[in-house]
Amino acid sequence: MQPMVLSALDMSCVGFLAQGVWTHPADRSTRMNTLDYWLDYARLLERGMFDMLFIADTIGTYDVYGGSIDAAVRGGVQLPMNDPSVVVSGMAAVTKNLGFGITGNVIYEPPYLFARRMSTLDHLTGGRVGWNIVTGILASGAKVMGRDKIVAHDERYDVADEYLELMYKLWEGCWDDDAVRFDREKHLFADPRGVHPVHHDGRYFKMEGVHPCLPSPQRTPFLFQAGASGRGKAFAATHAECVFVNGVSKESVAANVADIRRLAAAQGRNPADVLVLAGATIIVGRTDAEAREKADAYRRCADPEAVLAHAAGGLGVDLSRYPLDEPLTYQETDANRTSMEMFTRNAKRTYTPRQIAEEMALSARNLLIVGSVEHVVGELADWMAKTGVNGFNVARLIMPETLQDFVELAVPALQERGLLKREYRSGTLREKIFGAGPRLRSPHPAAMARTST
Amino acid sequence: MQPMVLSALDMSCVGFLAQGVWTHPADRSTRMNTLDYWLDYARLLERGMFDMLFIADTIGTYDVYGGSIDAAVRGGVQLPMNDPSVVVSGMAAVTKNLGFGITGNVIYEPPYLFARRMSTLDHLTGGRVGWNIVTGILASGAKVMGRDKIVAHDERYDVADEYLELMYKLWEGCWDDDAVRFDREKHLFADPRGVHPVHHDGRYFKMEGVHPCLPSPQRTPFLFQAGASGRGKAFAATHAECVFVNGVSKESVAANVADIRRLAAAQGRNPADVLVLAGATIIVGRTDAEAREKADAYRRCADPEAVLAHAAGGLGVDLSRYPLDEPLTYQETDANRTSMEMFTRNAKRTYTPRQIAEEMALSARNLLIVGSVEHVVGELADWMAKTGVNGFNVARLIMPETLQDFVELAVPALQERGLLKREYRSGTLREKIFGAGPRLRSPHPAAMARTST
């Protein structure tokens, strides 16, 4: 078995996936506005041989529950939500190997400026940057961005396809590898024959000009995606190097993994070039009892209203209007089909608002593993064997306690079992993960956009 | 006399203002893609008691000269041009007091995302962030941003005024100071009664929603501006806390400073609340002869074609079409009136292309001071006394040699003369500079946007 890919899943916020646990006495996530918080975070992850910190993001606020932002404000539900990109160079300054998955929204980020920001980060981190490609799910996100309404779900992926086409032109097609000379004697900084401006006039985007950054170590950053719908998975199968899936049963995740690999193969890609990580919430103790005690204490911190406000925003359904014990069913008219499917189809069951508030308090839609080192290591191994996932996106819970527990207890045991690397590979994030790179290879569409050989 | 404000002026590029000097054997600016380059830079500036590093920016390329980007590519003229914001947290991690002036373009940066990025940086740096407000001057910038043409000069400032109004609503008006509670016992993250969504429906921008960041140390970052036109100065007089001016004669700069202060007073502001920094290129040696030798060596590295390509882009005039010794004159039809005025009116003379290539090789439109420690210190003191500027924006020349010379030779002498502080003041950038803050005070329009007292 390949060593597992280990990612830490977080957002630049306080109330992330487990609403209310910020009130636990050990939690330090309210310090997330300080740089030291992130520097310590990065050091801890590198000590724990994590491949990357995956910084999710959302644009807009959770304002569906009760028709206002009040519940989100009271609970700190993904509000505040800081910019995910600007903290990275600080963390890069105190680490050598940790990668950084940065979320960028293709509907709202101006392509030229976003391409520049990512190339700059790829340079500054020595090629340790990934891009989590998202299209946004909140109607409130459209409104803060000055739009009347959110782009329809499937069309968002049409926009995303064109956005990626444009990114590849900028990252891969503008600068030949041998264009940059730095020739002091000849006063030749770069050879214009190797610099190719983009001429793009598409359905959604228009651009005339050259990418303003020199070729960065990876050129195209390591590409993440988490599309769960049919259209989302087709997009991921075309572009993603790493897909992030949710699911609470091994059967549903295994089917999802097989589906993604099948779609990638249908695109002419080697299915092994598409890694899949499962979102996981992990509470590990020296004994099962210790872990369960911690989990119970965390769960007592849960904030039911905040959990429902979070779920309501994701669903686009005002859960304050439904009886607590009435199962929610998917309706064609619901604004957010994808998220609704996550609750009602992927998990192969329906939920009542009360069940959402109780069962999703700690783990949202992730798998939840609570137990001794032996139990956690065994479960992770079993998930990899039975589902085909390549590793895990470990969701932040109590910061930094749950991560410290994982790093101090589970990581050495995973290494002893040969499930986790003892050393990082050299090179860029892509080389560390795949052992190949640093650039994307044919038939990935990024490679096709290269004008030089 | 107040101690001088000392800022380092740079861009995230190689060929900045002195085109060609990257070819000097001592120059290390081709390393600017690495994080270590910037960390060393920040440490050097803090050792030299600089108040801030001012990172200018431009969107688009210098493609006017000869009708193509070729000259800019050959000379590395502000190409590459990396993102100015993402390097800041790295520098903040290795410094305690240095401020960071980050350029942000109000025509192209989506307001919600830009406000979030700046608030995040203000948090992460502990309030050490400034915003250099720009509107962009390159027609090529409009094209890479998917527009057919650049917004007309004066209208760009109308856009800027509305952009600032929106920023103040987000930074100052959304969150009352006492809204954030972090109350673990009551499970109250923040009080919704203190959170006020923005409802903005203006001529250029529309927004419905709440600023996604908690109040940062300064809320509104320290505001820089460099408008040189009449409309630009009116904008600066309304919003800027620090104005950056160019000019090679004390008379013209003195008139400019008086004009800015008069305009600020006319807005009801205390003229002392508007600092003015003069752009300065400084080559200091142990003796006059040593400094002149260095200057001559630097000048020999100048690249005339690159200098003209840079000037042509700023002017919007293809200087390759004009005879080398024919004075350039301002025409109403020229695309870029402001820059043309800088060359032809502020300096109270006209230039031929040859003069531009020769005289502007090292200093562009900045004042140039070359000499012994005594000469440099005397000149800086004289500039402050005769023009009313509060300090200098010291332009990068040979990196890091010219800055090291300045820090090692000029800084101790400036301190001995009582012209430069020996210690930083505590607090945010605003408090370090003004000795007051951390928030903007009435009658600044930012303060007026506050809903709480």
Side-chain angles (χ1 to χ4, degrees):
Chain A
M1 195 186 290
Q2 283 272 60
M4 70 170 62
V5 176
L6 201 54
S7 169
L9 174 63
D10 208 334
M11 268 178 163
S12 195
C13 69
V14 176
F16 174 37
L17 294 176
Q19 303 304 331
V21 299
W22 67 271
T23 62
H24 188 280
D27 190 73
R28 295 293 169 265
S29 63
T30 53
R31 287 184 59 241
M32 71 97 195
N33 276 325
T34 68
L35 185 53
D36 279 343
Y37 174 89
W38 294 94
L39 303 186
D40 289 344
Y41 202 160
R43 291 183 187 109
L44 174 62
L45 293 177
E46 195 161 272
R47 186 151 59 83
M49 299 305 291
F50 275 75
D51 292 288
M52 68 197 91
L53 171 59
F54 182 106
I55 308 179
D57 186 27
T58 196
I59 292 172
T61 41
Y62 285 77
D63 63 354
V64 174
Y65 189 86
S68 84
I69 63 170
D70 290 2
V73 170
R74 277 193 297 269
V77 179
Q78 299 191 1
L79 179 69
M81 177 63 70
N82 286 351
D83 179 285
S85 68
V86 292
V87 73
V88 168
S89 72
M91 292 192 287
V94 299
T95 54
K96 292 284 177 209
N97 289 289
L98 186 68
F100 305 98
I102 302 159
T103 300
N105 185 303
V106 297
I107 308 293
Y108 303 127
E109 290 281 356
Y112 178 83
L113 297 177
F114 184 73
R116 180 171 81 147
R117 198 176 317 137
M118 293 304 283
S119 291
T120 303
L121 280 170
D122 201 47
H123 277 300
L124 294 175
T125 61
R128 291 194 271 153
V129 161
W131 173 25
N132 173 34
I133 308 159
V134 301
T135 61
I137 59 160
L138 298 182
S140 61
K143 288 185 183 164
V144 290
M145 294 302 298
R147 304 189 180 206
D148 292 322
K149 61 188 183 65
I150 192 166
V151 178
H153 177 270
D154 282 10
E155 187 174 11
R156 293 206 293 272
Y157 283 100
D158 296 339
V159 177
D161 273 322
E162 191 183 323
Y163 198 97
L164 270 283
E165 182 192 337
L166 190 44
M167 291 295 116
Y168 298 145
K169 286 182 182 176
L170 291 165
W171 285 328
E172 305 282 348
C174 273
W175 292 80
D176 294 350
D177 280 328
D178 60 0
V180 183
R181 299 294 178 83
F182 293 169
D183 187 331
R184 292 174 197 242
E185 279 73 39
K186 291 189 183 148
H187 263 254
L188 185 66
F189 185 83
D191 184 344
R193 288 170 300 183
V195 183
H196 316 286
V198 169
H199 306 284
H200 183 93
D201 192 359
R203 185 165 161 208
Y204 300 105
F205 301 103
K206 200 163 79 162
M207 184 184 296
E208 290 280 325
V210 69
H211 186 50
C213 303
L214 301 185
S216 70
Q218 299 183 109
R219 286 192 180 246
T220 296
F222 193 87
L223 297 176
F224 295 93
Q225 218 270 331
S229 66
R231 182 67 182 88
K233 276 195 238 182
F235 177 86
T238 305
H239 301 284
E241 300 173 80
C242 187
V243 179
F244 169 38
V245 300
N246 279 307
V248 294
S249 85
K250 286 169 193 157
E251 293 69 29
S252 71
V253 169
N256 205 355
V257 171
D259 204 29
I260 289 162
R261 298 243 156 85
R262 184 183 56 73
L263 288 164
Q267 297 282 338
R269 296 178 68 193
N270 180 347
D273 288 346
V274 185
L275 302 178
V276 184
L277 304 186
T281 301
I282 300 170
I283 301 170
V284 60
R286 279 162 193 81
T287 61
D288 282 330
E290 186 186 273
R292 278 198 303 270
E293 269 168 37
K294 284 205 171 184
D296 289 344
Y298 299 163
R299 199 173 272 114
R300 280 195 296 274
C301 294
D303 178 341
E305 184 196 54
V307 174
L308 291 176
H310 182 204
L315 291 165
V317 176
D318 181 359
L319 296 175
S320 77
R321 291 185 293 131
Y322 292 89
L324 272 175
D325 295 298
E326 189 172 292
L328 297 165
T329 50
Y330 167 63
Q331 297 165 39
E332 283 291 341
T333 53
D334 285 335
N336 198 320
R337 178 173 163 163
T338 313
S339 295
M340 197 61 165
E341 283 174 344
M342 279 192 196
F343 279 99
T344 59
R345 189 186 302 175
N346 281 358
K348 296 204 171 146
R349 51 167 294 189
T350 58
Y351 286 88
T352 67
R354 187 191 304 280
Q355 284 169 328
I356 290 175
E358 286 175 359
E359 298 197 12
M360 297 188 174
L362 290 190
S363 64
R365 304 179 300 258
N366 291 332
L367 65 102
L368 173 65
I369 305 178
V370 179
S372 65
V373 174
E374 189 144 318
H375 174 74
V376 166
V377 170
E379 268 296 286
L380 292 177
D382 198 53
W383 269 87
M384 287 181 73
K386 294 216 175 107
T387 66
V389 297
N390 303 87
F392 302 93
N393 219 350
V394 181
R396 185 249 294 177
L397 191 53
I398 303 291
M399 187 67 195
E401 182 172 279
T402 28
L403 259 177
Q404 277 173 343
D405 288 345
F406 184 82
V407 168
E408 283 162 24
L409 301 174
V411 163
L414 288 167
Q415 289 172 321
E416 274 165 37
R417 286 269 300 263
L419 290 164
L420 183 65
K421 62 191 169 302
R422 290 182 182 275
E423 286 182 359
Y424 286 99
R425 281 196 275 221
S426 62
T428 61
L429 179 57
R430 182 167 291 123
E431 289 163 287
K432 287 181 205 302
I433 299 282
F434 283 112
R439 309 280 167 78
L440 278 163
R441 291 169 304 182
S442 179
H444 191 284
M448 319 301 274
R450 235 163 268 156
T451 48
S452 58
T453 48
Chain B
M1 192 186 289
Q2 282 273 62
M4 71 170 60
V5 176
L6 201 53
S7 168
L9 174 62
D10 207 334
M11 266 178 164
S12 196
C13 68
V14 177
F16 173 37
L17 294 175
Q19 303 304 331
V21 302
W22 67 271
T23 62
H24 189 280
D27 190 74
R28 295 291 169 268
S29 63
T30 53
R31 287 186 59 242
M32 70 98 195
N33 277 325
T34 68
L35 185 55
D36 279 343
Y37 173 89
W38 295 94
L39 302 186
D40 290 343
Y41 201 161
R43 291 184 188 109
L44 174 63
L45 293 176
E46 194 160 274
R47 187 152 58 84
M49 300 304 291
F50 275 76
D51 292 288
M52 67 198 91
L53 170 60
F54 182 106
I55 308 178
D57 186 26
T58 196
I59 292 172
T61 42
Y62 285 78
D63 63 353
V64 173
Y65 188 86
S68 83
I69 63 170
D70 291 2
V73 170
R74 279 192 296 269
V77 180
Q78 298 190 4
L79 178 70
M81 177 63 70
N82 287 351
D83 179 285
S85 68
V86 291
V87 74
V88 168
S89 71
M91 292 192 286
V94 299
T95 54
K96 291 285 178 206
N97 290 290
L98 186 68
F100 306 98
I102 301 158
T103 300
N105 185 303
V106 298
I107 309 293
Y108 303 128
E109 290 281 356
Y112 178 82
L113 297 178
F114 184 73
R116 181 171 79 148
R117 199 175 318 135
M118 293 303 283
S119 291
T120 303
L121 280 170
D122 201 47
H123 277 299
L124 293 175
T125 62
R128 291 193 271 153
V129 162
W131 173 25
N132 173 35
I133 308 159
V134 301
T135 62
I137 58 162
L138 299 182
S140 61
K143 289 186 182 163
V144 290
M145 294 303 296
R147 302 187 182 209
D148 292 322
K149 62 189 182 67
I150 192 165
V151 178
H153 177 271
D154 282 9
E155 188 174 10
R156 294 206 291 273
Y157 283 100
D158 296 339
V159 177
D161 273 323
E162 191 183 324
Y163 198 97
L164 270 284
E165 180 191 338
L166 191 43
M167 290 296 116
Y168 299 145
K169 287 181 182 176
L170 291 166
W171 285 328
E172 305 283 349
C174 273
W175 292 80
D176 294 350
D177 280 328
D178 60 359
V180 182
R181 300 293 179 86
F182 292 169
D183 187 331
R184 293 174 196 240
E185 279 72 40
K186 290 187 182 150
H187 264 255
L188 186 66
F189 184 83
D191 184 343
R193 287 170 300 183
V195 183
H196 316 285
V198 169
H199 306 284
H200 183 93
D201 191 359
R203 185 166 161 211
Y204 301 105
F205 301 103
K206 201 164 79 162
M207 184 184 296
E208 289 281 324
V210 70
H211 186 50
C213 303
L214 300 185
S216 70
Q218 300 181 108
R219 285 191 179 246
T220 296
F222 193 86
L223 296 176
F224 296 95
Q225 218 271 329
S229 65
R231 183 67 182 89
K233 276 195 241 182
F235 177 85
T238 306
H239 300 284
E241 300 173 80
C242 186
V243 179
F244 168 38
V245 300
N246 279 307
V248 294
S249 86
K250 286 168 193 158
E251 294 70 26
S252 71
V253 169
N256 205 355
V257 170
D259 205 29
I260 289 162
R261 296 244 157 86
R262 184 184 55 74
L263 289 164
Q267 296 282 338
R269 295 178 70 192
N270 180 348
D273 287 346
V274 184
L275 302 179
V276 184
L277 304 186
T281 302
I282 300 170
I283 301 170
V284 60
R286 280 162 193 80
T287 62
D288 281 331
E290 185 186 274
R292 277 199 303 270
E293 269 168 38
K294 283 204 172 188
D296 289 344
Y298 300 164
R299 200 174 271 113
R300 280 194 296 276
C301 294
D303 179 340
E305 183 194 55
V307 174
L308 291 175
H310 182 204
L315 291 166
V317 176
D318 181 359
L319 295 176
S320 76
R321 291 186 292 133
Y322 292 91
L324 271 176
D325 295 299
E326 189 172 290
L328 297 165
T329 51
Y330 167 63
Q331 298 164 40
E332 282 292 342
T333 54
D334 283 337
N336 200 321
R337 177 174 165 162
T338 312
S339 295
M340 197 61 163
E341 284 173 343
M342 279 191 195
F343 279 98
T344 60
R345 189 185 303 173
N346 281 0
K348 296 204 174 149
R349 52 167 293 191
T350 59
Y351 286 88
T352 67
R354 188 190 304 280
Q355 285 169 327
I356 289 175
E358 287 174 359
E359 298 197 12
M360 298 190 173
L362 290 190
S363 63
R365 305 180 298 260
N366 290 333
L367 67 103
L368 173 66
I369 306 177
V370 179
S372 65
V373 174
E374 191 144 315
H375 174 76
V376 166
V377 169
E379 268 296 286
L380 292 177
D382 198 52
W383 270 87
M384 287 181 73
K386 294 214 174 108
T387 67
V389 298
N390 302 88
F392 302 92
N393 219 350
V394 181
R396 185 247 296 175
L397 192 52
I398 303 291
M399 186 68 194
E401 184 174 275
T402 27
L403 260 177
Q404 276 172 344
D405 289 344
F406 183 83
V407 168
E408 283 162 23
L409 301 175
V411 162
L414 288 166
Q415 289 173 321
E416 274 163 37
R417 286 269 300 263
L419 290 165
L420 183 65
K421 63 191 170 302
R422 290 182 183 274
E423 285 183 0
Y424 287 99
R425 280 195 274 222
S426 62
T428 62
L429 179 57
R430 182 168 291 123
E431 290 162 286
K432 287 180 205 300
I433 299 282
F434 283 113
R439 307 283 167 78
L440 278 162
R441 290 169 305 183
S442 180
H444 191 286
M448 317 302 273
R450 234 163 269 156
T451 48
S452 57
T453 50

